[in-house]
Amino acid sequence: MVNNIESTVASTRVRLARNLAGYNFPNRLSPASGKEIVRIVSEEAIRLHPFNLYSMDEISENVAQALCDDHLISADLAANRACGAALIDEKDEGVDGLRGKYSIMINEEDHLREQYIIRGFNLMLAYCRLSTLDDELSKNIRFAFDKKLGYLTACPTNLGTGLRASVMLFLPGLTRTKNMETVARIMSGLGHTVRGVFGEGSAADGYMYQISNEVTLGVDEDYILTEVQRAVLEIVKLETLARENMLDADFDGIKDECLRAFGILTNCYKISFDEFQRLISAVKLGAAVGFLSVKNFSALDELVSELRPANVGLNFEAPPTPGERDKRRAAECRAALKKIVRR
C-alpha cells in the first residue's frame, strides 16, 4: 500500500467566522449595508493580498457552481445575489513551496467566512496562514467580539473562536465494510462531526467524507486543531485496517474492479460525471492498496474537481451540451491518467 495518510487524507481546510461590529448579521442586513461591507472588506483584503473579487450578482451560474465545486464558496453564498461576494486567491505559495487557496466569503451566514485550503494533511500550516491574514484584517476592520463569548456569530455553534478545522478523507474501506456509522458515532462522542463531501446534508460521493470540530466556544484554537488532528490519525488507522480486511475477503474481485475501472477511463470516448466518479473512486482505491502506482495521489483528487460538470464547462466559449461535456471529460481524463498512473 502507499503511504496511509497520503492515500486517505485529500485536503485540509481551516475556516474562521467573523462579523463586523455595528452591523446586523447577514440575515437581517439591508442590501445597501451588505454592499458597504463588501467594499470595506475587499478594499482592505486586496491591499494585503492579491485577491480577485467575485460578485454573486455578476458571475454566471456556471462560474458560481465551479467555485462551489472547488469548495471556495458555498451554495448559500452563490444564492445571495443581492450582496454576496467572494475574495479568492487560488495561487498562494508560501516560503516552503506548499500551495494553498485563500477564500473569503462575504455576506454568507456571517459577514466573513475566511478559509484556507491545502492539499494533504497540514492543519497547523493552514491555520497559521489563515490566522496571519485574519490578524492583518483585524487591524483596520473592527470585528464583533465579546470578552466572555469571544467572536460573535450568526449561529451560536460558531461562537468563541469561530474556528472550524476540517479534513477531507477518502474512506473506501470503512464504507465498503459498513463501518462508517460506527465511526461517525464515535467521532460525535469526541466532539467532532462527519459529513459528506460538500458539508452538512451532502452525500459522501466517491467515498469522500469531511471531519470537523463541533465545539468552538470555551476552547482555544490549539485545542481544536490538536483534537481534530488526533481524530484524523485514528480514522486513518481504522481505514487502513478496513482496507486490509476488505482485501482478505475478496482480493481478486477488488483488484479486477480497480483495473477494469482504469481500463475504461483510459480508453473511453465519452463519459458522464457520475460514471467517471464511480470509476475514478475505484482507481483511487487501486492506487491506495498498490494495484496501481501513482506519482502523486493528490493529483487524482484534483482530477475529480477539474472534471466536475461546471469546471469542464469553463473550457467552452458557449454553454456546452451534455454530450460535448462528456467527450471533453473523457479526453482530459485519458490524458491526465497517462501522466498520473504508472503501469
Side-chain angles (χ1 to χ4, degrees):
M1 293 189 188
V2 301
N3 180 285
N4 293 332
I5 292 178
E6 181 186 357
S7 67
T8 303
V9 179
S11 63
T12 301
R13 177 173 63 173
V14 171
R15 190 210 73 196
L16 295 171
R18 300 288 187 258
N19 287 281
L20 276 63
Y23 291 87
N24 291 331
F25 288 134
N27 65 337
R28 302 292 299 274
L29 196 65
S30 69
S33 294
K35 292 184 181 298
E36 184 176 353
I37 289 172
V38 171
R39 179 186 60 77
I40 292 170
V41 173
S42 61
E43 286 180 357
E44 183 62 21
I46 292 172
R47 185 182 68 81
L48 296 169
H49 205 80
F51 283 108
N52 293 317
L53 177 64
Y54 294 79
S55 296
M56 296 302 109
D57 62 345
E58 295 179 358
I59 62 176
S60 68
E61 289 186 11
N62 191 80
V63 170
Q65 185 59 54
L67 294 174
C68 288
D69 288 348
D70 291 340
H71 302 280
L72 296 172
I73 69 172
S74 67
D76 287 341
L77 180 68
N80 183 2
R81 295 283 176 171
C83 56
L87 292 160
I88 295 170
D89 174 23
E90 299 188 56
K91 299 179 180 178
D92 173 67
E93 187 165 351
V95 293
D96 46 20
L98 295 174
R99 298 187 66 175
K101 299 179 181 181
Y102 283 105
S103 166
I104 302 176
M105 294 187 284
I106 308 175
N107 296 325
E108 196 232 28
E109 185 176 65
D110 294 292
H111 295 151
L112 279 76
R113 288 287 179 90
E114 307 168 30
Q115 299 184 123
Y116 190 81
I117 305 170
I118 191 168
R119 286 290 174 192
F121 189 33
N122 210 324
L123 279 164
M124 300 305 173
L125 175 64
Y127 175 71
C128 181
R129 289 189 179 171
L130 188 61
S131 180
T132 299
L133 175 65
D134 184 63
D135 289 344
E136 290 297 318
L137 288 173
S138 67
K139 290 179 180 178
N140 291 311
I141 298 175
R142 188 163 68 92
F143 292 138
F145 185 85
D146 180 86
K147 291 182 178 179
K148 291 184 178 179
L149 298 175
Y151 289 100
L152 302 180
T153 55
C155 180
T157 59
N158 291 315
L159 278 172
T161 62
L163 170 64
R164 294 283 176 180
S166 63
V167 178
M168 194 77 73
L169 301 167
F170 176 59
L171 304 175
L174 289 168
T175 303
R176 292 170 69 134
T177 57
K178 304 188 184 305
N179 283 303
M180 276 309 303
E181 285 189 13
T182 301
V183 170
R185 190 163 55 248
I186 292 171
M187 289 298 113
S188 179
L190 295 174
H192 307 301
T193 184
V194 178
R195 297 181 172 127
V197 65
F198 289 105
E200 188 171 1
S202 66
D205 295 334
Y207 307 126
M208 299 295 289
Y209 300 83
Q210 277 189 57
I211 178 171
S212 63
N213 61 296
E214 286 189 305
V215 179
T216 62
L217 180 63
V219 293
D220 63 19
E221 291 84 353
D222 285 343
Y223 176 86
I224 292 171
L225 295 168
T226 299
E227 289 303 302
V228 172
Q229 178 146 325
R230 192 196 314 274
V232 169
L233 291 175
E234 185 58 33
I235 291 176
V236 170
K237 290 180 184 177
L238 294 172
E239 171 63 18
T240 301
L241 180 61
R243 290 177 188 176
E244 291 172 355
N245 292 337
M246 183 177 62
L247 290 176
D248 287 342
D250 187 17
F251 183 93
D252 289 347
I254 293 171
K255 184 171 185 177
D256 183 66
E257 176 188 346
C258 297
L259 297 184
R260 279 178 183 270
F262 180 74
I264 293 171
L265 290 178
T266 52
N267 289 280
C268 60
Y269 177 68
K270 66 174 186 175
I271 191 166
S272 69
F273 179 74
D274 286 345
E275 184 181 9
F276 162 76
Q277 186 171 53
R278 176 176 59 81
L279 295 174
I280 199 68
S281 298
V283 168
K284 286 170 61 180
L285 174 57
V289 299
F291 296 149
L292 296 165
S293 177
V294 297
K295 299 176 182 178
N296 180 0
F297 199 88
S298 66
L300 292 172
D301 293 308
E302 292 172 4
L303 184 62
V304 175
S305 177
E306 291 167 3
L307 297 187
R308 287 184 178 276
N311 277 326
V312 173
L314 295 176
N315 296 319
F316 293 84
E317 292 184 5
T321 65
E324 290 172 332
R325 249 197 328 256
D326 291 350
K327 286 190 288 185
R328 177 66 66 89
R329 179 180 296 110
E332 293 187 8
C333 180
R334 294 194 307 269
L337 287 180
K338 288 178 182 178
K339 297 177 181 178
I340 297 170
V341 180
R342 295 191 296 260
R343 291 303 309 274

